[in-house]
Amino acid sequence: MTDPTPTPRGRTSAKRAAIAETLAGFEDFRSAQDVHEEMRRADRRVGLATVYRTLQAMVEGGELDSLRSETGEVTYRLCSGSHHHHLVCRVCGKALEVEGPAVETWAAATAEAHGFRDISHTVELVGTCSDH
Amino acid sequence: MTDPTPTPRGRTSAKRAAIAETLAGFEDFRSAQDVHEEMRRADRRVGLATVYRTLQAMVEGGELDSLRSETGEVTYRLCSGSHHHHLVCRVCGKALEVEGPAVETWAAATAEAHGFRDISHTVELVGTCSDH
DNA sequence: ATTATTGCAAACAATTTGCATCGTT
DNA sequence: AACGATGCAAATTGTTTGCAATAAT
């Protein structure tokens, strides 16, 4: 349970902190490019490559959740902790986190029924929210 | 129920047929590039762009199922008809179609509970099959 | 003939990588 | 000093598009 190194990868750095901060300012999933552009806007410039590298590192470090948008880009968001799924509005991009105990169960059962191990599942609900 | 035009888009063509045939020879999901390469191998050459265009058209025509691989490429497979989900082996790529009435219900209910309309859902189960 | 389909190359977009430099330790 | 972090530009990868040549109707 003891983990003296919060994120056992590399050194600390202002850039890295800035990226994390920027991310904290978002509610829903954003692409590396989005983050990069937002930082430019806020005069907290960082190289695009650095954003990509950092975001990847954070995902591996379990600090971020990532998923692919419908157009294929990888998007990130600080993860809240427990396992959940997303309900995304196709018009405004608003994303809600939803719990899906039923899905978890079904996934596990289905996998086992077919002899699969180490199952991981992705569930994405896309629809039009009430504002549109 | 009557649909005299199997695929109401454009003209018929040998190339198109060849692509469909090639696809029929596959069991699991393949990328446009995979299809292209396979056709080259079988001496049924077609331009890569044509493969992309045709595959997209077939998806829109409801003849193909498509999903994104973990690496982000779009992959295709002839679809068997009814709505279903996939259980893919992360090692060999073997893909099984699975029914998920529970998921359908949950998706609809969740969406409605949050005021979303025109919901569509994506469910992907990735695991290691019994052969590995 | 008319118009959709193809191929090829150029254009693109997202992401990655090489490498010299700079910041942490 | 030693080594990870960063920036920038060049390289990749997957996919799209413009356009002239070709095939289907």
Side-chain angles (χ1 to χ4, degrees), chain A residues 82-102:
Chain A
S82 69
H83 186 61
H84 53 250
H85 301 297
H86 306 101
L87 173 55
V88 188
C89 174
R90 61 166 64 87
V91 179
C92 61
K94 180 169 64 180
L96 307 181
E97 290 187 347
V98 296
E99 292 284 322

Side-chain angles (χ1 to χ4, degrees), chain A residues 2-3 9 11 16 50 54 57 75 77 80 85 89 94-95 97 99-100 115-116 119 123 127:
Chain A
T2 53
D3 184 357
R9 84 196 59 272
R11 288 168 191 172
R16 198 156 284 198
T50 299
T54 303
T75 55
R77 186 177 70 169
S80 34
H85 301 297
C89 174
K94 180 169 64 180
E97 290 187 347
E99 292 284 322
F116 278 59
I119 269 291
V123 177

Side-chain angles (χ1 to χ4, degrees), chain B residues 87-117:
Chain B
L87 174 54
V88 188
C89 174
R90 61 166 64 87
V91 180
C92 62
K94 178 169 68 179
L96 306 180
E97 289 186 347
V98 297
E99 292 284 321
V103 180
E104 316 292 321
T105 307
W106 170 78
T110 302
E112 182 150 358
H114 292 281
F116 278 58
R117 284 169 292 108

Side-chain angles (χ1 to χ4, degrees), chain A residues 7-108:
Chain A
T7 301
R9 84 196 59 272
R11 288 168 191 172
T12 68
S13 93
K15 303 303 176 76
R16 198 156 284 198
I19 292 176
E21 255 179 64
T22 302
L23 228 12
F26 293 142
E27 267 297 282
D28 41 34
F29 289 81
R30 300 302 176 89
S31 70
Q33 315 242 17
D34 287 341
V35 173
H36 179 251
E37 201 190 299
E38 172 57 30
M39 294 183 78
R40 168 196 256 54
R41 214 177 269 126
D43 264 303
R44 289 193 95 8
R45 292 174 145 277
V46 282
L48 180 54
T50 299
V51 175
Y52 274 106
R53 286 187 281 232
T54 303
L55 255 24
Q56 289 169 179
M58 292 178 78
V59 169
E60 282 170 34
E63 303 171 55
L64 293 185
D65 240 10
S66 78
L67 56 78
R68 273 183 202 277
S69 70
E70 287 191 83
T71 59
E73 313 114 283
V74 181
T75 55
Y76 310 81
R77 186 177 70 169
L78 291 173
C79 66
S80 34
S82 69
H83 186 61
H84 53 250
H85 301 297
H86 306 101
L87 173 55
V88 188
C89 174
R90 61 166 64 87
V91 179
C92 61
K94 180 169 64 180
L96 307 181
E97 290 187 347
V98 296
E99 292 284 322
V103 180
E104 316 293 321
T105 308
W106 169 78

Side-chain angles (χ1 to χ4, degrees), chain B residues 67-78:
Chain B
L67 57 78
R68 271 181 203 279
S69 71
E70 288 190 79
T71 59
E73 313 113 281
V74 181
T75 54
Y76 310 81
R77 186 178 70 167
L78 291 172

